[in-house]
Amino acid sequence: MGATASQLDTGKLSEYEELTFLTKQEILLAYDRFDKLVPKEEKNRIDYRVPMEDILELPELKFNPFKERICKVFSTSDKKDGSLDFDDFLDFLSAFSDSATLEIKSHYAFHIFDFDDDGTLDRQDLKKLINCLTGKADKTSLTPDEMRMLIDNILEESDIDQDGTVNLSEFQHVISRSPDFVSSFQIVL
Amino acid sequence: MSEGEMARLMEEVEEKKKLIATIRNKPWRMKRRLVLLREAQQFVDKFEGALGKGKGRKWYAYKVMMTKKWIKFQRDFENFRTACIPWERKIKEVESHFGSSVASYFIFLRWMYGMNLVLFGLTFGLVVMPEVLMGLPYGSIPRKTVPRAEQDTAQDYSVLMDFNGYCKYSVLFYGYYNNQRTIGLLKFRLPLAYLMVGLGTFGYSLMLVIRTMAKNADVGGGDGDEGEFTFAWKMFTSWDYLIGNAETADNKYASITTSFKESIVDEQENQKDENIHLRRFLRVLANFLITCSLGGSGYLIYFVVKRSQEFANRDDLSWYEKNELELIMSLLGLVCPPLFETIAELEDYHPRIALKWQLGRIFALFLGNLYTFLFALFDEVNTKLEEEGSIKNASIWAMKEYYANFSLPVNDSDATPPPMDPGDVILGPCWETAVGIEFVKLTVSDIQVTYLTILIGDFARAVIVRFLNYCWCWDLEAGFPSYGEFDISGNVLGLVFNQGMIWMGAFYAPGLVGINVLRLLSSMYYQCWAVMATNVPHERVFKASKSNNFYMGLLLLVLFLSLLPVVYTIMSLPPSFDCGPFSGKEKMFDVIMETIDLDLPAFMGTLFSYAANPGLIIPAVLLMVLAIYYLNSTSEAYQNANMELKKKMQMARDEEKNRRNNTDSTNQVMKDLEDLLPNRSLAPPALPEPAEKPKEPEGKPTKTRGGAAGKGVDLQKDVSLASSNPNAREPVTRAPGARGRGQPPGGRGRGGPPPR
């Protein structure tokens, strides 16, 4: 990455500043943290992709129920294995930073919740979403009846064109009215 | 390059620049954005240089360069500013363990610290430092010296703790400052500076609070209806992505599940057919009880202040009696809120509403206490003012006696006697310093009580639960005391009221702001440690995001309420005759008049006197009232327009839903419109209109086609053609060869192209 193996050069740094919502210190910190995940023999390779298991060990993501989805959404690898290179990592941090706009956040949130990657949130996606949110323990999960009622209510509220799924614009319409979304959809390194 | 080309090129360059500025808002991946960015930058660089050449373009080139430098400067400044923000790591740690609502308290604390730091800088730099550096030193004039009677006890620890002795006659309090109009080489006008800083404190705080409120209101995203998207929001926005700790995550899962189950139950449940009368009676009873306790606490404070005035005349006081007032006030602040909570169990409100009531009641408690304290204090001030009259006479008499006694030993009556030793001059009661001392003592005791509560209520409790658990009958950690949760609202309210006291007392005790800065600094570290070491995450996590503006609103209210007493004293109470920067004047704000008369050029004086003319002020007030009325009606008009738009959106949504479901339109307006339109299946009468602009797109004939056209035009196709914009069709003057492309049905329906 640039002139020396362990430094980000200033040209790239200013480009990244232009392209993301992160400040210079945040980009440098991200570079440091990413560098720690890169094994020694690969340090000189640009575009090294850190495999998903290593990313999931980051303390900020470790306890997040959507960590695998986050990796899959932000990964641009051809093998679709959720590995992230530094550009993807910065994309991820930029979308989750506190200066990112509502549109960016809602766009990525939609893709994170779309478990089957078909461009809409159908009943299966919503079911998986509820299961993620209620945790793995038995006493915190919902009965199938409750689940069905919940999904029915959600679709009634958000599905404007009544096709049984929530698409991106319906999702953004719902999210834009929420006062909590922007402040809770944040990750800081 | 021609002018037109130049203009076009400039436009393109501007577009590219806009693209560069907004590129991070697009949800594309990094590689694509990088490519676009590089392309746009190359374009801009290439053509900006070209545009900069030529005669009239030097200005353009210069402007471009300045803009670039300005943007770079702004960005560097932003980076520098974010680097300067203290305690980011600490707050982030708290956030990852406890969630964003607890962290919001610490962010508020940090904000307060910043504000107090600025206020401290103002006071210290403009009032304290000049007096210390350029004013008269300690011991030179009576107001700066400890009176002889108190001198041997002035250094005692107990006296200092009461802020008497050396503390009282120091820069901490109002009484130390001299009333010389200008001091030192720089001719610094200290009394004017004192007054201006006092008023400027309020002005700056007001501006800052309002600015923060406006910023928070912006981010809040307008007011969505509370119940509009409950389930969807719970699903999509309830997870807090800052959580970085297993225990907090588990708690969060549990609370999310609970809230899902609750809302399902709420949704299903009918209105409970409970006894409304019983509920109302209980609520009235609860409110009555709480009003009684509020009244009781107010009276208690009044009583204690009166008692402390009596105590002031005695000398043999125990520690308790000396600090009774402050202790009682702090204890009330500790005991009453849990009392209110228990009484509120009678009321059986929804938790969020109950929380609002609780906060309102605690607010009323603190306010009542503070104002009772103030009124009692004002009684004391008035007594002191009366005393002043007699002391003034006494001190003049003592001075005359001193001179009379002095001239006797010396035979030479031309020698002027040396001035009386400052320690011997009888000092007036100096009510401002007394008020300042009361506020400082109150603040200090408040600090002590808060720290002790954390130590005992949280730390000792945690230690006991942890270590006694090994040998206790029931599980202390899960059962009765268990670990404490961080009380956000109590702490925030405490902070807000502490700030109110500082605002009130800062005019009489300039050192108070410094004490507060130290307090906030130590509070940050102490509370961060306490939270991490002794508290557990909340079981029921409630979103405090809308409350941000609620606390700011409280702060604003407290600011106004603390402004009132200070402004009242500045305007109407006479300052002490022998202490402080305004001694000798009739009213404190006379110093402004003096400055205008003596220091500013003559025309400004006449200007101000014109401005103070009632003939000018009354029209100005009328104008402001009119402006308020106008703005009010404009905002009402906007709100109405908003409602109309919302209704329209709702209507459009319903229409879409119905169209998808292939049902008839339920909208009355649409139904009427459909009735008015001619039936599609009937043939139209012969319309002698040119086919370019048919009036009714729906009324296109279809059935008569078959005869005229020899090509067997598909009827279905005609129907679909009929509903689209006929203006896009060719004019009928075309030769019949154009038939294959779909003639307008109007032309065909007439049996053939009209003769041209």
Side-chain angles (χ1 to χ4, degrees):
Chain A
M1 307 250 183
T4 59
S6 58
Q7 282 285 7
L8 196 55
D9 67 7
T10 44
K12 259 206 145 246
L13 186 62
S14 62
E15 272 179 354
Y16 284 139
E17 260 188 284
E18 241 0 288
L19 291 173
T20 65
F21 292 101
L22 305 170
T23 63
K24 190 154 47 161
Q25 294 96 317
E26 286 170 351
I27 298 177
L28 290 172
L29 182 61
Y31 185 74
D32 257 339
R33 298 288 294 273
F34 190 78
D35 208 40
K36 290 204 179 71
L37 295 173
V38 174
K40 226 187 242 205
E41 52 283 0
E42 310 279 3
K43 278 215 197 285
N44 281 323
R45 238 180 72 185
I46 317 178
D47 296 346
Y48 172 71
R49 290 189 164 280
V50 175
M52 187 160 82
E53 302 76 46
D54 293 340
I55 301 274
L56 295 183
E57 287 300 310
L58 282 175
E60 289 82 10
L61 279 181
K62 205 158 156 186
F63 301 104
N64 196 317
F66 302 111
K67 52 191 179 201
E68 288 98 2
R69 281 300 304 159
I70 291 178
C71 286
K72 291 252 168 63
V73 164
F74 284 100
S75 160
T76 51
S77 97
D78 305 316
K79 290 180 281 189
K80 304 265 180 270
D81 60 357
S83 57
L84 299 180
D85 66 1
F86 186 60
D87 283 346
D88 298 336
F89 193 59
L90 279 186
D91 260 340
F92 156 61
L93 288 175
S94 169
F96 277 94
S97 81
D98 60 357
S99 10
T101 59
L102 180 69
E103 291 78 29
I104 292 270
K105 284 190 194 271
S106 52
H107 178 266
Y108 281 113
F110 182 77
H111 287 290
I112 289 176
F113 295 149
D114 188 10
F115 284 82
D116 49 13
D117 279 327
D118 62 354
T120 60
L121 301 181
D122 54 13
R123 293 190 86 99
Q124 286 304 321
D125 290 327
L126 292 176
K127 199 181 278 192
K128 289 211 193 101
L129 184 58
I130 298 177
N131 278 331
C132 270
L133 280 175
T134 54
K136 306 289 184 292
D138 262 334
K139 66 179 165 91
T140 57
S141 58
L142 300 176
T143 67
D145 254 351
E146 289 171 333
M147 192 95 80
R148 192 183 38 84
M149 253 187 296
L150 200 50
I151 296 183
D152 284 340
N153 281 324
I154 291 170
L155 284 176
E156 192 189 308
E157 282 175 355
S158 354
D159 190 8
I160 299 182
D161 55 6
Q162 295 288 11
D163 57 355
T165 65
V166 181
N167 62 22
L168 179 60
S169 34
E170 289 162 353
F171 181 78
Q172 282 181 323
H173 175 70
V174 169
I175 287 296
S176 64
R177 317 292 295 286
S178 158
D180 306 325
F181 176 66
V182 176
S183 53
S184 66
F185 200 74
Q186 270 187 43
I187 293 183
V188 178
L189 270 191
Chain B
M1 259 198 272
S2 71
E3 275 299 317
E5 274 187 37
M6 285 272 233
R8 196 177 45 86
L9 207 54
M10 245 203 282
E11 222 179 270
E12 271 188 48
V13 166
E14 288 302 313
E15 277 234 16
K16 289 284 181 194
K17 280 209 245 193
K18 207 160 62 155
L19 177 68
I20 294 180
T22 57
I23 199 164
R24 57 171 79 111
N25 292 348
K26 309 267 194 286
W28 302 325
R29 300 318 304 274
M30 183 75 84
K31 297 250 177 339
R32 180 169 166 198
R33 281 187 277 163
L34 206 57
V35 160
L36 272 172
L37 177 73
R38 289 200 178 129
E39 214 179 272
Q41 266 177 344
Q42 271 175 357
F43 183 86
V44 166
D45 287 334
K46 190 162 82 168
F47 286 107
E48 238 172 17
L51 284 173
K53 299 202 173 59
K55 278 198 301 193
R57 305 296 169 197
K58 282 281 191 312
W59 168 246
Y60 178 79
Y62 176 73
K63 202 166 65 155
V64 159
M65 190 188 70
M66 283 280 100
T67 325
K68 269 201 230 175
K69 282 206 168 31
W70 175 245
I71 293 182
K72 181 162 189 321
F73 171 73
Q74 267 184 330
R75 200 186 301 163
D76 285 339
F77 184 67
E78 271 303 314
N79 280 347
F80 172 69
R81 220 161 59 109
T82 28
C84 274
I85 298 180
W87 305 314
E88 270 299 314
R89 297 267 109 207
K90 234 186 229 321
I91 292 186
K92 195 216 141 189
E93 222 185 301
V94 171
E95 215 159 10
S96 76
H97 278 258
F98 291 91
S100 50
S101 45
V102 170
S104 72
Y105 166 74
F106 287 100
I107 295 178
F108 187 56
L109 181 60
R110 186 173 63 183
W111 181 86
M112 285 280 220
Y113 174 71
M115 179 172 80
N116 275 289
L117 210 55
V118 172
L119 293 180
F120 173 67
L122 268 179
T123 320
F124 194 69
L126 290 176
V127 172
V128 177
M129 276 283 99
E131 182 70 24
V132 165
L133 293 177
M134 299 190 282
L136 299 169
Y138 170 82
S140 49
I141 45 175
R143 69 185 66 179
K144 298 199 184 199
T145 329
V146 178
R148 194 167 302 276
E150 298 174 21
Q151 260 176 11
D152 31 349
T153 55
Q155 256 188 332
D156 288 353
Y157 183 70
S158 58
V159 167
L160 283 179
M161 277 295 108
D162 269 342
F163 297 98
N164 269 323
Y166 282 123
C167 266
K168 184 167 168 187
Y169 298 96
S170 70
V171 273
L172 278 180
F173 294 107
Y174 174 98
Y176 185 81
Y177 295 86
N178 200 3
N179 70 335
Q180 245 179 316
R181 230 193 81 194
T182 65
I183 48 177
L185 286 171
L186 295 173
K187 299 246 182 291
F188 189 78
R189 288 160 178 66
L190 188 72
L192 183 68
Y194 196 97
L195 188 65
M196 290 281 108
V197 163
L199 294 176
T201 308
F202 288 107
Y204 173 74
S205 315
L206 185 64
M207 195 190 71
L208 196 63
V209 171
I210 291 190
R211 206 170 65 157
T212 315
M213 276 181 86
K215 227 191 308 182
N216 282 347
D218 241 357
V219 168
D223 52 334
D225 286 331
E226 268 285 325
E228 203 179 330
F229 290 119
T230 11
F231 284 99
W233 285 351
K234 280 204 166 73
M235 271 279 270
F236 299 132
T237 68
S238 56
W239 182 260
D240 192 350
Y241 287 73
L242 284 163
I243 291 180
N245 169 271
E247 193 186 335
T248 323
D250 287 336
N251 272 2
K252 191 75 178 164
Y253 289 138
S255 89
I256 290 180
T257 315
T258 324
S259 88
F260 275 154
K261 293 199 179 169
E262 268 178 11
S263 13
I264 295 178
V265 164
D266 271 348
E267 182 82 4
Q268 284 178 325
E269 194 176 87
N270 296 330
Q271 269 299 354
K272 270 203 224 144
D273 206 19
E274 265 189 25
N275 198 342
I276 297 191
H277 297 293
L278 180 65
R279 196 190 272 193
R280 277 204 199 133
F281 170 70
L282 284 176
R283 283 186 186 167
V284 167
L285 179 66
N287 276 318
F288 175 70
L289 284 174
I290 290 187
T291 327
C292 278
S293 44
L294 281 176
S297 83
Y299 178 69
L300 184 62
I301 291 185
Y302 192 76
F303 176 70
V304 170
V305 172
K306 283 293 172 217
R307 236 162 65 124
S308 78
Q309 280 171 352
E310 287 167 24
F311 286 157
N313 299 331
R314 286 170 32 198
D315 274 332
D316 53 337
L317 299 170
S318 63
W319 174 84
Y320 170 74
E321 277 161 346
K322 270 194 275 200
N323 292 318
E324 190 182 28
L325 175 63
E326 288 77 26
L327 270 174
I328 296 281
M329 280 189 77
S330 312
L331 278 177
L332 276 175
L334 268 181
V335 161
C336 286
L339 181 67
F340 291 163
E341 256 187 75
T342 16
I343 297 182
E345 300 276 324
L346 281 176
E347 289 183 331
D348 194 25
Y349 276 127
H350 184 279
R352 203 178 301 161
I353 303 184
L355 182 69
K356 285 210 166 106
W357 275 95
Q358 174 73 357
L359 288 175
R361 285 174 184 144
I362 299 182
F363 185 74
L365 172 75
F366 280 152
L367 207 60
N369 289 354
L370 206 55
Y371 263 66
T372 325
F373 171 72
L374 268 179
F375 284 136
L377 214 57
F378 268 125
D379 271 351
E380 211 179 300
V381 167
N382 282 330
T383 345
K384 283 216 158 77
L385 279 175
E386 285 159 12
E387 236 181 272
E388 235 185 44
S390 57
I391 293 207
K392 217 192 275 201
N393 292 336
S395 67
I396 294 179
W397 180 253
M399 181 88 76
K400 291 211 166 88
E401 262 198 49
Y402 172 77
Y403 287 146
N405 285 341
F406 183 81
S407 55
L408 287 178
V410 176
N411 283 331
D412 183 4
S413 52
D414 282 344
T416 51
M420 215 157 125
D421 179 54
D424 288 326
V425 176
I426 305 180
L427 277 183
C430 204
W431 61 270
E432 294 99 342
T433 305
V435 168
I437 292 182
E438 284 300 318
F439 274 112
V440 172
K441 282 200 328 200
L442 196 59
T443 308
V444 167
S445 87
D446 193 50
I447 297 174
Q448 286 168 338
V449 168
T450 317
Y451 284 13
L452 270 176
T453 327
I454 295 181
L455 201 60
I456 298 181
D458 279 337
F459 184 65
R461 175 174 167 181
V463 162
I464 289 177
V465 167
R466 169 67 71 86
F467 292 114
L468 219 54
N469 210 10
Y470 296 122
C471 51
W472 202 258
C473 5
W474 71 85
D475 186 0
L476 286 172
E477 279 184 5
F480 166 55
S482 80
Y483 298 106
E485 287 179 358
F486 187 75
D487 178 17
I488 305 174
S489 43
N491 273 304
V492 172
L493 279 180
L495 207 57
V496 165
F497 277 100
N498 172 59
Q499 190 59 38
M501 288 196 291
I502 301 295
W503 276 324
M504 268 198 254
F507 188 73
Y508 306 107
L512 191 56
V513 189
I515 296 180
N516 200 35
V517 165
L518 285 175
R519 171 229 168 98
L520 287 174
L521 191 61
S522 57
S523 210
M524 182 59 145
Y525 289 107
Y526 185 56
Q527 281 188 307
C528 265
W529 165 79
V531 140
M532 296 295 287
T534 68
N535 285 116
V536 287
H538 287 186
E539 260 187 44
R540 288 218 62 185
V541 185
F542 77 100
K543 273 291 156 83
S545 55
K546 268 194 192 150
S547 319
N548 258 344
N549 248 7
F550 176 66
Y551 292 130
M552 282 293 161
L554 270 184
L555 195 61
L556 192 64
L557 191 59
V558 165
L559 175 59
F560 277 128
L561 291 172
S562 35
L563 182 63
L564 288 177
V566 179
V567 170
Y568 175 73
T569 49
I570 292 181
M571 289 299 168
S572 53
L573 286 184
S576 298
F577 75 98
D578 66 344
C579 67
F582 308 115
S583 55
K585 301 208 173 26
E586 289 273 329
K587 295 267 188 310
M588 291 190 192
F589 66 85
D590 280 346
V591 77
I592 299 185
M593 306 298 187
E594 210 185 287
T595 317
I596 295 179
D597 284 335
L598 298 176
D599 289 329
L600 296 175
F603 76 90
M604 297 214 66
T606 38
L607 205 68
F608 276 118
S609 65
Y610 284 152
N613 191 347
L616 205 62
I617 292 192
I618 293 186
V621 169
L622 276 178
L623 191 67
M624 285 196 279
V625 168
L626 280 176
I628 292 179
Y629 180 69
Y630 169 73
L631 287 172
N632 207 17
S633 44
T634 328
S635 91
E636 265 180 36
Y638 282 143
Q639 272 177 347
N640 285 341
N642 234 5
M643 288 307 310
E644 289 295 316
L645 284 173
K646 276 193 194 162
K647 269 193 240 167
K648 266 195 208 162
M649 248 176 50
Q650 190 68 23
M651 227 163 65
R653 223 165 100 157
D654 288 339
E655 271 309 301
E656 269 302 313
K657 274 192 191 165
N658 290 328
R659 203 177 301 173
R660 290 292 181 141
N661 296 343
N662 274 340
T663 57
D664 286 329
S665 170
T666 52
N667 188 345
Q668 191 55 34
V669 175
M670 290 305 287
K671 264 207 187 119
D672 293 344
L673 200 58
E674 272 179 17
D675 288 341
L676 281 178
L677 292 172
N679 204 333
R680 284 189 195 190
S681 53
L682 294 173
L687 296 165
E689 27 97 284
E692 291 113 71
K693 284 189 182 6
K695 303 279 190 306
E696 286 166 10
E698 308 277 345
K700 283 300 168 236
T702 56
K703 292 275 170 63
T704 53
R705 270 241 170 203
K711 282 207 174 175
V713 178
D714 191 12
L715 278 176
Q716 279 297 91
K717 194 153 154 254
D718 279 344
V719 169
S720 59
L721 285 176
S723 52
S724 43
N725 185 1
N727 284 335
R729 297 282 172 265
E730 323 276 9
V732 187
T733 50
R734 291 274 183 148
R739 204 182 301 166
R741 272 176 296 168
Q743 288 279 357
R748 292 283 92 212
R750 285 203 295 278
R756 290 286 167 146

